[in-house]
Amino acid sequence: MQHWGSGAHSMSSFQDEPVLFGPQRQLLGVMTRPEGGPPPRLACLMYNFGVTHRVGPRRIQVKLARLLAQRGIPSLRFDLSGIGDSKASGASHSFEEQALDDLRLAIDQIGSRLGIREVIVIGLCSGAVHGFQAALRDPRIVGLLAFDGHSFTSRRAKLERRLRRFLRFPVAQVRHWTDRLLGTDRPQEGDLLGAGVLAEVMTPDDFRRDMESLVARGVSLYLVYSATLQSRDRNMDQLHGLRGSAVLEQLRYEFMPNLDHSFTEIAGQAFFLEAVRDWVSEIQRERIETGRCALG
């Protein structure tokens, strides 16, 4: 299959193969592999953005998978149990535990089909939370990208955000805060941020300890934040609660002012895609040079 990349990307060959896996073959995904070239040394794993289908908003994960294939890096994008084209598992797990089980099965699938034992997880929105928990449990995960995931902003930044919202949507904000004061405000169905998926009980110290654990294991961390909640970023504002922590010097942090949470603008998409492609390629190159890449 031939594909024209966007912008300056050259035409490249890839294979998209649908796969079913899991105990009851209930999970459906698409494996994207480069055609030709040397054997791949690691792979990327992508999954749902909230309840969005595995393609991601504006098909961002399809675009990323095919862009990575140009660099010889395969990937699997799939739907978690009960979302998109994947069937419910029938197990009695919580959604969070089931998601972690699904990620484990997906990494197993990459290993059995490609003979690869090292994976980079791309976690968008709620997927960032699942990605962190999976990385803490599974040593096969050697890289984690968290997009608009955990955030510990300052009081000043929160006040600025609320002021901008009020000035932009004054009527809606008056209704919202009236409902909050009366105790009648409830998250809308499908609103994962409002429903608290990303607002799990985690303090800055908890988050710092988890990141230190991952860094100590050699996991590459890339924390990316859009301009949806904050229009500007002064000094790692999204991790204000971790100021002074040494772990901040051991991860990659990037605020993308031209990118929104839903990847609406083409320019923002292109910036994100190229940044992720280069980061993944850098991890693969470093692991090959240091002899750390593991093949099955």
Side-chain angles (χ1 to χ4, degrees), residues 67-112:
L67 190 60
L68 290 170
Q70 294 182 14
R71 292 288 178 92
I73 300 168
S75 61
L76 171 63
R77 58 187 183 274
F78 80 105
D79 289 320
L80 299 171
S81 292
I83 302 177
D85 294 316
S86 290
K87 299 177 181 178
S89 70
S92 58
H93 301 316
S94 67
F95 175 73
E96 290 77 12
E97 286 297 323
Q98 185 60 56
L100 295 178
D101 196 41
D102 291 346
L103 292 177
R104 177 184 58 80
L105 292 169
I107 297 174
D108 290 346
Q109 181 70 191
I110 289 172
S112 63

Side-chain angles (χ1 to χ4, degrees), residues 124-289:
L124 309 181
C125 188
S126 60
V129 177
H130 302 321
F132 262 109
Q133 293 305 312
L136 289 167
R137 301 183 185 197
D138 198 324
R140 295 173 295 179
I141 297 176
V142 300
L144 172 66
L145 180 143
F147 171 75
D148 277 352
H150 295 92
S151 177
F152 305 95
T153 56
S154 66
R155 180 175 296 181
R156 172 191 52 77
K158 292 175 182 176
L159 288 173
E160 287 181 358
R161 183 174 70 208
R162 288 170 182 167
L163 178 59
R164 284 196 307 273
R165 284 182 175 177
F166 183 82
L167 293 175
R168 188 175 181 185
F169 306 107
V171 175
Q173 286 296 300
V174 168
R175 289 175 179 170
H176 167 73
W177 287 105
T178 300
D179 289 342
R180 288 284 295 271
L181 291 172
L182 296 175
T184 58
D185 184 43
R186 294 290 184 272
Q188 296 181 359
E189 184 178 355
D191 180 2
L192 296 183
L193 288 172
V197 171
L198 291 184
E200 61 178 16
V201 179
M202 176 173 280
T203 67
D205 282 342
D206 293 333
F207 190 61
R208 174 185 53 77
R209 282 192 292 269
D210 286 348
M211 288 198 297
E212 288 174 345
S213 175
L214 293 174
V215 167
R217 208 182 75 210
V219 178
S220 297
L221 299 175
Y222 188 15
L223 276 56
V224 177
Y225 294 94
S226 74
T228 294
L229 295 182
Q230 300 291 146
S231 61
R232 55 183 176 174
D233 189 273
R234 296 175 179 84
N235 181 23
M236 290 190 175
D237 275 350
Q238 301 293 336
L239 299 181
H240 181 271
L242 281 74
R243 290 274 173 87
S245 174
V247 75
L248 295 181
E249 300 176 2
Q250 299 172 291
L251 56 83
R252 181 175 298 190
Y253 175 104
E254 187 160 6
F255 174 76
M256 298 187 177
N258 60 343
L259 183 65
D260 64 80
H261 190 68
S262 299
F263 297 88
T264 306
E265 300 293 334
I266 295 297
Q269 291 182 34
F271 189 88
F272 174 82
L273 291 169
E274 292 174 7
V276 177
R277 176 202 61 191
D278 292 347
W279 173 70
V280 172
S281 298
E282 180 182 326
I283 293 174
Q284 175 167 253
R285 182 173 60 254
E286 288 178 352
R287 298 189 76 80
I288 290 174
E289 290 176 352

